[in-house]
Amino acid sequence: MTSARARTGRPRSAEADRAILDATRAALVELGWGKLTMGDVAARAGVAKTTLYRRWAGKNELVVDAVAALFDEHLDLPDLGSLAADIESVVLRFAALLERPETKTALMAVVAESTRDEALRVRIRCAIVDRQKRLVLLGRERAQARGELPLEEDATAAARNADLIFDVIAGAVVHRALVSGQSVDEEWARGFTALLVGGLAGV
Amino acid sequence: MTSARARTGRPRSAEADRAILDATRAALVELGWGKLTMGDVAARAGVAKTTLYRRWAGKNELVVDAVAALFDEHLDLPDLGSLAADIESVVLRFAALLERPETKTALMAVVAESTRDEALRVRIRCAIVDRQKRLVLLGRERAQARGELPLEEDATAAARNADLIFDVIAGAVVHRALVSGQSVDEEWARGFTALLVGGLAGV
Amino acid sequence: MTSARARTGRPRSAEADRAILDATRAALVELGWGKLTMGDVAARAGVAKTTLYRRWAGKNELVVDAVAALFDEHLDLPDLGSLAADIESVVLRFAALLERPETKTALMAVVAESTRDEALRVRIRCAIVDRQKRLVLLGRERAQARGELPLEEDATAAARNADLIFDVIAGAVVHRALVSGQSVDEEWARGFTALLVGGLAGV
Amino acid sequence: MTSARARTGRPRSAEADRAILDATRAALVELGWGKLTMGDVAARAGVAKTTLYRRWAGKNELVVDAVAALFDEHLDLPDLGSLAADIESVVLRFAALLERPETKTALMAVVAESTRDEALRVRIRCAIVDRQKRLVLLGRERAQARGELPLEEDATAAARNADLIFDVIAGAVVHRALVSGQSVDEEWARGFTALLVGGLAGV
DNA sequence: AAGTAATCGAGACGGTACGTCGTGTCTTACA
DNA sequence: TGTAAGACACGACGTACCGTCTCGATTACTT
């Protein structure tokens, strides 16, 4: 049921959609957000610009759609037996995702654009942020089951806490990788985990 | 020794430099990163485009320098008597800086560009990242003087540690404010400080 | 057969062509060759600069085409009954054309440029020189019909002769008007015609 | 008497003047009028732009001065025994002068510029046109002495006639060489001379 | 000698135009 | 109706010259 009016005329080519999104990702890798142009994407996809604009309103929406799929490969969390091991593992997996050229370049660009575009902000939150937050919840549950962390009594505080931990983990990794521009290796992951678990005072 | 060949010819106008950076910040506020153009900045500064390009290679480098000044200006670390108070204070100041329209819109954009541009990456590191690391060093020194933190014996480890702490603090604030898109208020700052100082286990 | 590939895409606007050439002539009158700019012509024609560059490689070629149309329009050769009258008439018409501000200022300028630019030289020859040679051919034909001039037997010599006569007439008028800087009036035209028809010895 | 105020201060370098004019001619040959720039001339001459502008107001005046000297190498007229031989000879000499790249490109450019600049027009007339007119007078005198041409009774008509002949000769050669863009060789010179002496009717 | 005043080189300055590129819309002919 | 091709108006790009200016460093003629 794609709407009542879609019954007449030539139907849109589904192949074109795929070709365009593929071309967008390829262009993103080769050129980065700044040099990516609609005309270039159209040419790569073997498609007229018209076709492109008929489906997406502009560069922003196109790139977000093209990139969103990448984050759908969910980061899973195998139980490694201890809180520290679980954290280290998720940090390294997240870092590996950020190392991929198409995500690296696109993530910050889309975030930058979202500061000016409410709809985009919501889209990012749904497609990327919230989706990964469950990892924090799952890790905490396991640690509590192991007795490494105390049970939370207040549900609101628990949620607030999970948000906080998520921002700390994701933020530290992103900042290290993209702003400081240094690699997130095992050594760094160990140091970070130690700090997160034990705190500044816990040395 | 500002270079051997700079003794001849008319010297560059220091006033122009100032006017350009001011104009850049103003344009950033009014138009945002996306609509900001070199020509517009030049016009606002009452300066020829040539003058602008003689000093900066493009929009990216210009904006980095313009924004870097804000960091220098707005981030300092008054001694509030305890490690926790110092951290809370710097977190809130940093968050306030990120709320300003000229930083909010520009910071992520240049970071995004920097994933494809080594020179830009270096410039960001020098002009912003490395300069603000002083806050971490200063805070740690004070905490050590107060006896809140132990002295570091290994200088390399100490430096690595400072980098880590910087990424955690800056990353968490940026992620909360720009990616998660939620406000960094006093309550969040208190929670974050507690986590950082005491760790997950330190409840 | 206007070319094989011209069947697809939106066809070029014929109206734009007209508007651009008109605007060029107007700008030439108001500003002269030196101050005429492509941007200004585009603006006058209500056309984007791109549209202009899609059709002409630059100022030179544009002006040649704009001026060539004037030659076509203003030079013809009504049959005045005698060779002398025909020559006098074409001399005066040509002089009047050279007096117009759009031709006066532009013609020598493009000729000057053409000394360094083979393509431009060819364009001038096709668009202006060769087209006006028809006047010589027509005049000679009529004079032969009237019995004023003998018939040519050798076709090659006839062509060479027409070229020579054209250079003499056009050259003398241009030199008088633009180099010597004196007016081409009826008296001069009469004197010139007498010289051309009768020769130095023909007194 | 170079004026009252020129007595003190460092005198202008005569060497610079020479270097600049040489550089201008060289640039004219290499680049043509259109691509010649003040900055380039200054660089070739090993001189600062300031020095150049202190002596000439702009490109026009500079080039006219640089080129004027070339026309001073006067075209002489050896007596070859007949009017036709004298004309042929002067035509070929004039053509040779126009073949030189520095004159070819500069002459038309300066003439074009003169359509907008009265002072320049006067300067050209004095430095170039009038100077060569004496060749016509000399040739006519000789032809009259030989009995090839009748004596003129009316002095005014004689002067008018000389002007006319000059425009015809110079104009035809310039038009053939620069506008039609074909070479002025011996064959053309012979044909032209025959036409000039005998007229269209004199075949 | 010391002073004065115009020159010199270098190169930055505010402008203006350049010719190119990307955007998003439009107009064709064809499917 | 969709589509490929490509022209269109718009506006920014980064560069090139223009002619002027500000420097410090030479030259000459004064006193």
PDB file of all heavy atoms in Angstrom, chain B residues 9-11 37-39 49-50 53, chain F residues 12-17 21-24:
ATOM      1  N   GLY B   9      59.302  44.542   2.435  1.00  0.00           N
ATOM      2  CA  GLY B   9      57.908  44.727   2.044  1.00  0.00           C
ATOM      3  C   GLY B   9      57.043  45.245   3.177  1.00  0.00           C
ATOM      4  O   GLY B   9      57.473  45.329   4.319  1.00  0.00           O
ATOM      5  N   ARG B  10      55.842  45.575   2.805  1.00  0.00           N
ATOM      6  CA  ARG B  10      54.895  46.098   3.811  1.00  0.00           C
ATOM      7  C   ARG B  10      54.474  44.984   4.744  1.00  0.00           C
ATOM      8  O   ARG B  10      54.107  43.900   4.297  1.00  0.00           O
ATOM      9  CB  ARG B  10      53.674  46.640   3.070  1.00  0.00           C
ATOM     10  CG  ARG B  10      52.589  47.176   3.962  1.00  0.00           C
ATOM     11  CD  ARG B  10      51.545  47.849   3.092  1.00  0.00           C
ATOM     12  NE  ARG B  10      50.368  48.206   3.820  1.00  0.00           N
ATOM     13  CZ  ARG B  10      49.344  48.870   3.282  1.00  0.00           C
ATOM     14  NH1 ARG B  10      49.405  49.229   2.019  1.00  0.00           N
ATOM     15  NH2 ARG B  10      48.291  49.179   3.992  1.00  0.00           N
ATOM     16  N   PRO B  11      54.529  45.225   6.026  1.00  0.00           N
ATOM     17  CA  PRO B  11      54.140  44.159   6.965  1.00  0.00           C
ATOM     18  C   PRO B  11      52.634  43.960   6.977  1.00  0.00           C
ATOM     19  O   PRO B  11      51.875  44.870   6.667  1.00  0.00           O
ATOM     20  CB  PRO B  11      54.636  44.693   8.304  1.00  0.00           C
ATOM     21  CG  PRO B  11      54.706  46.158   8.151  1.00  0.00           C
ATOM     22  CD  PRO B  11      54.960  46.456   6.708  1.00  0.00           C
ATOM     23  N   THR B  37      30.416  32.329   4.142  1.00  0.00           N
ATOM     24  CA  THR B  37      31.260  32.349   2.949  1.00  0.00           C
ATOM     25  C   THR B  37      32.455  33.272   3.170  1.00  0.00           C
ATOM     26  O   THR B  37      32.368  34.240   3.921  1.00  0.00           O
ATOM     27  CB  THR B  37      30.505  32.861   1.712  1.00  0.00           C
ATOM     28  OG1 THR B  37      30.228  34.251   1.886  1.00  0.00           O
ATOM     29  CG2 THR B  37      29.215  32.112   1.500  1.00  0.00           C
ATOM     30  N   MET B  38      33.535  32.950   2.480  1.00  0.00           N
ATOM     31  CA  MET B  38      34.744  33.750   2.608  1.00  0.00           C
ATOM     32  C   MET B  38      34.478  35.199   2.188  1.00  0.00           C
ATOM     33  O   MET B  38      34.938  36.139   2.830  1.00  0.00           O
ATOM     34  CB  MET B  38      35.848  33.151   1.746  1.00  0.00           C
ATOM     35  CG  MET B  38      36.275  31.767   2.187  1.00  0.00           C
ATOM     36  SD  MET B  38      37.001  31.724   3.827  1.00  0.00           S
ATOM     37  CE  MET B  38      38.751  31.930   3.443  1.00  0.00           C
ATOM     38  N   GLY B  39      33.763  35.351   1.104  1.00  0.00           N
ATOM     39  CA  GLY B  39      33.457  36.687   0.610  1.00  0.00           C
ATOM     40  C   GLY B  39      32.690  37.503   1.627  1.00  0.00           C
ATOM     41  O   GLY B  39      32.976  38.684   1.830  1.00  0.00           O
ATOM     42  N   LYS B  49      39.157  39.975  -0.207  1.00  0.00           N
ATOM     43  CA  LYS B  49      39.253  38.520  -0.111  1.00  0.00           C
ATOM     44  C   LYS B  49      40.712  38.076  -0.142  1.00  0.00           C
ATOM     45  O   LYS B  49      41.103  37.147   0.556  1.00  0.00           O
ATOM     46  CB  LYS B  49      38.494  37.866  -1.279  1.00  0.00           C
ATOM     47  CG  LYS B  49      37.064  37.507  -0.967  1.00  0.00           C
ATOM     48  CD  LYS B  49      36.507  36.455  -1.931  1.00  0.00           C
ATOM     49  CE  LYS B  49      36.413  36.953  -3.351  1.00  0.00           C
ATOM     50  NZ  LYS B  49      36.021  35.883  -4.284  1.00  0.00           N
ATOM     51  N   THR B  50      41.492  38.744  -0.976  1.00  0.00           N
ATOM     52  CA  THR B  50      42.914  38.408  -1.085  1.00  0.00           C
ATOM     53  C   THR B  50      43.586  38.397   0.282  1.00  0.00           C
ATOM     54  O   THR B  50      44.386  37.509   0.592  1.00  0.00           O
ATOM     55  CB  THR B  50      43.628  39.457  -1.941  1.00  0.00           C
ATOM     56  OG1 THR B  50      42.723  40.013  -2.853  1.00  0.00           O
ATOM     57  CG2 THR B  50      44.814  38.855  -2.636  1.00  0.00           C
ATOM     58  N   TYR B  53      42.740  35.268   2.114  1.00  0.00           N
ATOM     59  CA  TYR B  53      43.382  34.049   1.602  1.00  0.00           C
ATOM     60  C   TYR B  53      44.898  34.090   1.803  1.00  0.00           C
ATOM     61  O   TYR B  53      45.547  33.052   1.739  1.00  0.00           O
ATOM     62  CB  TYR B  53      43.069  33.860   0.120  1.00  0.00           C
ATOM     63  CG  TYR B  53      41.723  33.254  -0.119  1.00  0.00           C
ATOM     64  CD1 TYR B  53      40.674  34.007  -0.593  1.00  0.00           C
ATOM     65  CD2 TYR B  53      41.482  31.911   0.166  1.00  0.00           C
ATOM     66  CE1 TYR B  53      39.417  33.453  -0.812  1.00  0.00           C
ATOM     67  CE2 TYR B  53      40.246  31.347  -0.045  1.00  0.00           C
ATOM     68  CZ  TYR B  53      39.212  32.121  -0.535  1.00  0.00           C
ATOM     69  OH  TYR B  53      37.980  31.563  -0.747  1.00  0.00           O
TER      70      TYR B  53
ATOM     71  P    DA F  12      26.574  33.856  -2.148  1.00  0.00           P
ATOM     72  OP1  DA F  12      25.691  33.640  -1.012  1.00  0.00           O
ATOM     73  OP2  DA F  12      26.889  35.220  -2.635  1.00  0.00           O
ATOM     74  O5'  DA F  12      27.973  33.141  -1.883  1.00  0.00           O
ATOM     75  C5'  DA F  12      28.006  31.790  -1.482  1.00  0.00           C
ATOM     76  C4'  DA F  12      29.222  31.115  -2.057  1.00  0.00           C
ATOM     77  O4'  DA F  12      29.079  31.043  -3.487  1.00  0.00           O
ATOM     78  C3'  DA F  12      30.545  31.837  -1.789  1.00  0.00           C
ATOM     79  O3'  DA F  12      31.331  31.010  -0.936  1.00  0.00           O
ATOM     80  C2'  DA F  12      31.166  32.048  -3.162  1.00  0.00           C
ATOM     81  C1'  DA F  12      30.344  31.155  -4.096  1.00  0.00           C
ATOM     82  N9   DA F  12      30.150  31.736  -5.412  1.00  0.00           N
ATOM     83  C8   DA F  12      29.505  32.914  -5.691  1.00  0.00           C
ATOM     84  N7   DA F  12      29.489  33.205  -6.980  1.00  0.00           N
ATOM     85  C5   DA F  12      30.164  32.167  -7.567  1.00  0.00           C
ATOM     86  C6   DA F  12      30.499  31.881  -8.908  1.00  0.00           C
ATOM     87  N6   DA F  12      30.158  32.677  -9.928  1.00  0.00           N
ATOM     88  N1   DA F  12      31.175  30.751  -9.165  1.00  0.00           N
ATOM     89  C2   DA F  12      31.510  29.964  -8.138  1.00  0.00           C
ATOM     90  N3   DA F  12      31.259  30.113  -6.850  1.00  0.00           N
ATOM     91  C4   DA F  12      30.579  31.251  -6.623  1.00  0.00           C
ATOM     92  P    DC F  13      32.797  31.357  -0.571  1.00  0.00           P
ATOM     93  OP1  DC F  13      33.137  30.642   0.677  1.00  0.00           O
ATOM     94  OP2  DC F  13      32.989  32.813  -0.701  1.00  0.00           O
ATOM     95  O5'  DC F  13      33.603  30.665  -1.744  1.00  0.00           O
ATOM     96  C5'  DC F  13      33.414  29.275  -1.996  1.00  0.00           C
ATOM     97  C4'  DC F  13      34.222  28.896  -3.207  1.00  0.00           C
ATOM     98  O4'  DC F  13      33.690  29.594  -4.338  1.00  0.00           O
ATOM     99  C3'  DC F  13      35.675  29.310  -3.111  1.00  0.00           C
ATOM    100  O3'  DC F  13      36.430  28.168  -2.756  1.00  0.00           O
ATOM    101  C2'  DC F  13      36.035  29.811  -4.510  1.00  0.00           C
ATOM    102  C1'  DC F  13      34.722  29.798  -5.269  1.00  0.00           C
ATOM    103  N1   DC F  13      34.335  31.034  -6.016  1.00  0.00           N
ATOM    104  C2   DC F  13      34.512  31.095  -7.397  1.00  0.00           C
ATOM    105  O2   DC F  13      35.046  30.135  -7.963  1.00  0.00           O
ATOM    106  N3   DC F  13      34.102  32.203  -8.071  1.00  0.00           N
ATOM    107  C4   DC F  13      33.512  33.214  -7.416  1.00  0.00           C
ATOM    108  N4   DC F  13      33.112  34.260  -8.119  1.00  0.00           N
ATOM    109  C5   DC F  13      33.323  33.164  -6.007  1.00  0.00           C
ATOM    110  C6   DC F  13      33.745  32.073  -5.354  1.00  0.00           C
ATOM    111  P    DG F  14      37.564  28.321  -1.672  1.00  0.00           P
ATOM    112  OP1  DG F  14      37.891  26.990  -1.177  1.00  0.00           O
ATOM    113  OP2  DG F  14      37.146  29.390  -0.755  1.00  0.00           O
ATOM    114  O5'  DG F  14      38.789  28.845  -2.535  1.00  0.00           O
ATOM    115  C5'  DG F  14      39.349  27.930  -3.493  1.00  0.00           C
ATOM    116  C4'  DG F  14      40.086  28.684  -4.560  1.00  0.00           C
ATOM    117  O4'  DG F  14      39.187  29.603  -5.202  1.00  0.00           O
ATOM    118  C3'  DG F  14      41.270  29.543  -4.054  1.00  0.00           C
ATOM    119  O3'  DG F  14      42.393  29.274  -4.859  1.00  0.00           O
ATOM    120  C2'  DG F  14      40.747  30.968  -4.185  1.00  0.00           C
ATOM    121  C1'  DG F  14      39.846  30.824  -5.396  1.00  0.00           C
ATOM    122  N9   DG F  14      38.842  31.869  -5.477  1.00  0.00           N
ATOM    123  C8   DG F  14      38.076  32.385  -4.462  1.00  0.00           C
ATOM    124  N7   DG F  14      37.264  33.333  -4.843  1.00  0.00           N
ATOM    125  C5   DG F  14      37.510  33.451  -6.195  1.00  0.00           C
ATOM    126  C6   DG F  14      36.931  34.314  -7.156  1.00  0.00           C
ATOM    127  O6   DG F  14      36.058  35.177  -6.987  1.00  0.00           O
ATOM    128  N1   DG F  14      37.469  34.115  -8.426  1.00  0.00           N
ATOM    129  C2   DG F  14      38.450  33.187  -8.719  1.00  0.00           C
ATOM    130  N2   DG F  14      38.852  33.125  -9.997  1.00  0.00           N
ATOM    131  N3   DG F  14      38.988  32.364  -7.845  1.00  0.00           N
ATOM    132  C4   DG F  14      38.477  32.555  -6.604  1.00  0.00           C
ATOM    133  P    DT F  15      43.734  30.093  -4.827  1.00  0.00           P
ATOM    134  OP1  DT F  15      44.834  29.159  -5.027  1.00  0.00           O
ATOM    135  OP2  DT F  15      43.699  31.003  -3.682  1.00  0.00           O
ATOM    136  O5'  DT F  15      43.621  30.950  -6.151  1.00  0.00           O
ATOM    137  C5'  DT F  15      43.346  30.282  -7.378  1.00  0.00           C
ATOM    138  C4'  DT F  15      43.600  31.225  -8.519  1.00  0.00           C
ATOM    139  O4'  DT F  15      42.524  32.183  -8.599  1.00  0.00           O
ATOM    140  C3'  DT F  15      44.888  32.041  -8.399  1.00  0.00           C
ATOM    141  O3'  DT F  15      45.521  32.000  -9.672  1.00  0.00           O
ATOM    142  C2'  DT F  15      44.406  33.422  -7.979  1.00  0.00           C
ATOM    143  C1'  DT F  15      43.026  33.497  -8.625  1.00  0.00           C
ATOM    144  N1   DT F  15      42.043  34.350  -7.926  1.00  0.00           N
ATOM    145  C2   DT F  15      41.354  35.296  -8.645  1.00  0.00           C
ATOM    146  O2   DT F  15      41.514  35.458  -9.832  1.00  0.00           O
ATOM    147  N3   DT F  15      40.451  36.035  -7.914  1.00  0.00           N
ATOM    148  C4   DT F  15      40.182  35.936  -6.573  1.00  0.00           C
ATOM    149  O4   DT F  15      39.351  36.659  -6.021  1.00  0.00           O
ATOM    150  C5   DT F  15      40.939  34.918  -5.865  1.00  0.00           C
ATOM    151  C7   DT F  15      40.721  34.717  -4.406  1.00  0.00           C
ATOM    152  C6   DT F  15      41.816  34.187  -6.575  1.00  0.00           C
ATOM    153  P    DA F  16      46.935  32.699  -9.924  1.00  0.00           P
ATOM    154  OP1  DA F  16      47.652  31.852 -10.902  1.00  0.00           O
ATOM    155  OP2  DA F  16      47.546  33.036  -8.619  1.00  0.00           O
ATOM    156  O5'  DA F  16      46.558  34.056 -10.663  1.00  0.00           O
ATOM    157  C5'  DA F  16      45.707  33.981 -11.784  1.00  0.00           C
ATOM    158  C4'  DA F  16      45.510  35.368 -12.359  1.00  0.00           C
ATOM    159  O4'  DA F  16      44.474  36.059 -11.631  1.00  0.00           O
ATOM    160  C3'  DA F  16      46.748  36.246 -12.277  1.00  0.00           C
ATOM    161  O3'  DA F  16      46.824  36.957 -13.494  1.00  0.00           O
ATOM    162  C2'  DA F  16      46.455  37.157 -11.083  1.00  0.00           C
ATOM    163  C1'  DA F  16      44.950  37.315 -11.193  1.00  0.00           C
ATOM    164  N9   DA F  16      44.259  37.581  -9.930  1.00  0.00           N
ATOM    165  C8   DA F  16      44.497  36.998  -8.718  1.00  0.00           C
ATOM    166  N7   DA F  16      43.710  37.419  -7.755  1.00  0.00           N
ATOM    167  C5   DA F  16      42.904  38.347  -8.379  1.00  0.00           C
ATOM    168  C6   DA F  16      41.858  39.154  -7.911  1.00  0.00           C
ATOM    169  N6   DA F  16      41.439  39.152  -6.649  1.00  0.00           N
ATOM    170  N1   DA F  16      41.262  39.969  -8.793  1.00  0.00           N
ATOM    171  C2   DA F  16      41.682  39.971 -10.071  1.00  0.00           C
ATOM    172  N3   DA F  16      42.646  39.257 -10.634  1.00  0.00           N
ATOM    173  C4   DA F  16      43.227  38.452  -9.713  1.00  0.00           C
ATOM    174  P    DC F  17      48.216  37.568 -13.970  1.00  0.00           P
ATOM    175  OP1  DC F  17      48.579  36.945 -15.229  1.00  0.00           O
ATOM    176  OP2  DC F  17      49.139  37.585 -12.811  1.00  0.00           O
ATOM    177  O5'  DC F  17      47.799  39.076 -14.283  1.00  0.00           O
ATOM    178  C5'  DC F  17      47.136  39.724 -13.276  1.00  0.00           C
ATOM    179  C4'  DC F  17      46.575  41.018 -13.739  1.00  0.00           C
ATOM    180  O4'  DC F  17      45.462  41.275 -12.879  1.00  0.00           O
ATOM    181  C3'  DC F  17      47.570  42.150 -13.554  1.00  0.00           C
ATOM    182  O3'  DC F  17      47.339  43.165 -14.534  1.00  0.00           O
ATOM    183  C2'  DC F  17      47.293  42.605 -12.137  1.00  0.00           C
ATOM    184  C1'  DC F  17      45.815  42.252 -11.900  1.00  0.00           C
ATOM    185  N1   DC F  17      45.551  41.698 -10.528  1.00  0.00           N
ATOM    186  C2   DC F  17      44.444  42.164  -9.824  1.00  0.00           C
ATOM    187  O2   DC F  17      43.684  42.973 -10.360  1.00  0.00           O
ATOM    188  N3   DC F  17      44.239  41.712  -8.551  1.00  0.00           N
ATOM    189  C4   DC F  17      45.071  40.825  -8.003  1.00  0.00           C
ATOM    190  N4   DC F  17      44.820  40.416  -6.772  1.00  0.00           N
ATOM    191  C5   DC F  17      46.199  40.334  -8.726  1.00  0.00           C
ATOM    192  C6   DC F  17      46.403  40.797  -9.980  1.00  0.00           C
ATOM    193  P    DC F  21      47.443  56.208  -2.135  1.00  0.00           P
ATOM    194  OP1  DC F  21      46.383  56.908  -1.360  1.00  0.00           O
ATOM    195  OP2  DC F  21      48.432  56.957  -2.929  1.00  0.00           O
ATOM    196  O5'  DC F  21      48.265  55.254  -1.124  1.00  0.00           O
ATOM    197  C5'  DC F  21      47.615  54.698   0.012  1.00  0.00           C
ATOM    198  C4'  DC F  21      48.558  53.748   0.730  1.00  0.00           C
ATOM    199  O4'  DC F  21      48.912  52.693  -0.191  1.00  0.00           O
ATOM    200  C3'  DC F  21      49.923  54.341   1.125  1.00  0.00           C
ATOM    201  O3'  DC F  21      49.895  55.135   2.321  1.00  0.00           O
ATOM    202  C2'  DC F  21      50.759  53.070   1.250  1.00  0.00           C
ATOM    203  C1'  DC F  21      50.120  52.097   0.258  1.00  0.00           C
ATOM    204  N1   DC F  21      50.993  51.780  -0.930  1.00  0.00           N
ATOM    205  C2   DC F  21      51.742  50.611  -0.931  1.00  0.00           C
ATOM    206  O2   DC F  21      51.667  49.852   0.049  1.00  0.00           O
ATOM    207  N3   DC F  21      52.531  50.324  -1.983  1.00  0.00           N
ATOM    208  C4   DC F  21      52.600  51.162  -3.021  1.00  0.00           C
ATOM    209  N4   DC F  21      53.377  50.819  -4.047  1.00  0.00           N
ATOM    210  C5   DC F  21      51.848  52.358  -3.038  1.00  0.00           C
ATOM    211  C6   DC F  21      51.069  52.635  -1.990  1.00  0.00           C
ATOM    212  P    DT F  22      49.676  54.633   3.786  1.00  0.00           P
ATOM    213  OP1  DT F  22      48.414  53.877   3.865  1.00  0.00           O
ATOM    214  OP2  DT F  22      49.908  55.794   4.629  1.00  0.00           O
ATOM    215  O5'  DT F  22      50.876  53.625   4.062  1.00  0.00           O
ATOM    216  C5'  DT F  22      50.647  52.550   4.956  1.00  0.00           C
ATOM    217  C4'  DT F  22      51.840  51.606   4.934  1.00  0.00           C
ATOM    218  O4'  DT F  22      52.310  51.366   3.593  1.00  0.00           O
ATOM    219  C3'  DT F  22      53.052  52.130   5.725  1.00  0.00           C
ATOM    220  O3'  DT F  22      53.454  51.087   6.582  1.00  0.00           O
ATOM    221  C2'  DT F  22      54.088  52.392   4.640  1.00  0.00           C
ATOM    222  C1'  DT F  22      53.717  51.295   3.651  1.00  0.00           C
ATOM    223  N1   DT F  22      54.247  51.444   2.267  1.00  0.00           N
ATOM    224  C2   DT F  22      55.036  50.448   1.769  1.00  0.00           C
ATOM    225  O2   DT F  22      55.330  49.442   2.388  1.00  0.00           O
ATOM    226  N3   DT F  22      55.475  50.658   0.478  1.00  0.00           N
ATOM    227  C4   DT F  22      55.198  51.755  -0.318  1.00  0.00           C
ATOM    228  O4   DT F  22      55.654  51.826  -1.458  1.00  0.00           O
ATOM    229  C5   DT F  22      54.367  52.762   0.275  1.00  0.00           C
ATOM    230  C7   DT F  22      54.017  53.970  -0.492  1.00  0.00           C
ATOM    231  C6   DT F  22      53.939  52.563   1.524  1.00  0.00           C
ATOM    232  P    DC F  23      53.876  51.526   8.061  1.00  0.00           P
ATOM    233  OP1  DC F  23      52.861  50.964   8.951  1.00  0.00           O
ATOM    234  OP2  DC F  23      54.231  52.965   8.073  1.00  0.00           O
ATOM    235  O5'  DC F  23      55.217  50.695   8.226  1.00  0.00           O
ATOM    236  C5'  DC F  23      56.412  51.229   7.655  1.00  0.00           C
ATOM    237  C4'  DC F  23      57.175  50.092   7.039  1.00  0.00           C
ATOM    238  O4'  DC F  23      56.834  50.038   5.666  1.00  0.00           O
ATOM    239  C3'  DC F  23      58.657  50.345   7.093  1.00  0.00           C
ATOM    240  O3'  DC F  23      59.162  49.760   8.273  1.00  0.00           O
ATOM    241  C2'  DC F  23      59.159  49.645   5.836  1.00  0.00           C
ATOM    242  C1'  DC F  23      57.956  49.625   4.906  1.00  0.00           C
ATOM    243  N1   DC F  23      58.072  50.499   3.690  1.00  0.00           N
ATOM    244  C2   DC F  23      58.750  50.010   2.568  1.00  0.00           C
ATOM    245  O2   DC F  23      59.242  48.870   2.624  1.00  0.00           O
ATOM    246  N3   DC F  23      58.852  50.779   1.458  1.00  0.00           N
ATOM    247  C4   DC F  23      58.303  51.996   1.446  1.00  0.00           C
ATOM    248  N4   DC F  23      58.416  52.709   0.315  1.00  0.00           N
ATOM    249  C5   DC F  23      57.598  52.527   2.578  1.00  0.00           C
ATOM    250  C6   DC F  23      57.503  51.749   3.668  1.00  0.00           C
ATOM    251  P    DG F  24      60.298  50.366   9.133  1.00  0.00           P
ATOM    252  OP1  DG F  24      60.195  49.764  10.479  1.00  0.00           O
ATOM    253  OP2  DG F  24      60.256  51.825   8.945  1.00  0.00           O
ATOM    254  O5'  DG F  24      61.628  49.818   8.436  1.00  0.00           O
ATOM    255  C5'  DG F  24      61.765  48.431   8.175  1.00  0.00           C
ATOM    256  C4'  DG F  24      62.851  48.253   7.131  1.00  0.00           C
ATOM    257  O4'  DG F  24      62.406  48.833   5.880  1.00  0.00           O
ATOM    258  C3'  DG F  24      64.157  48.972   7.485  1.00  0.00           C
ATOM    259  O3'  DG F  24      65.243  48.156   7.082  1.00  0.00           O
ATOM    260  C2'  DG F  24      64.064  50.279   6.682  1.00  0.00           C
ATOM    261  C1'  DG F  24      63.346  49.779   5.423  1.00  0.00           C
ATOM    262  N9   DG F  24      62.630  50.831   4.706  1.00  0.00           N
ATOM    263  C8   DG F  24      61.798  51.799   5.238  1.00  0.00           C
ATOM    264  N7   DG F  24      61.297  52.609   4.328  1.00  0.00           N
ATOM    265  C5   DG F  24      61.834  52.150   3.140  1.00  0.00           C
ATOM    266  C6   DG F  24      61.662  52.638   1.819  1.00  0.00           C
ATOM    267  O6   DG F  24      60.977  53.585   1.435  1.00  0.00           O
ATOM    268  N1   DG F  24      62.395  51.883   0.899  1.00  0.00           N
ATOM    269  C2   DG F  24      63.189  50.806   1.221  1.00  0.00           C
ATOM    270  N2   DG F  24      63.808  50.199   0.209  1.00  0.00           N
ATOM    271  N3   DG F  24      63.356  50.336   2.451  1.00  0.00           N
ATOM    272  C4   DG F  24      62.655  51.060   3.354  1.00  0.00           C
TER     273       DG F  24
END
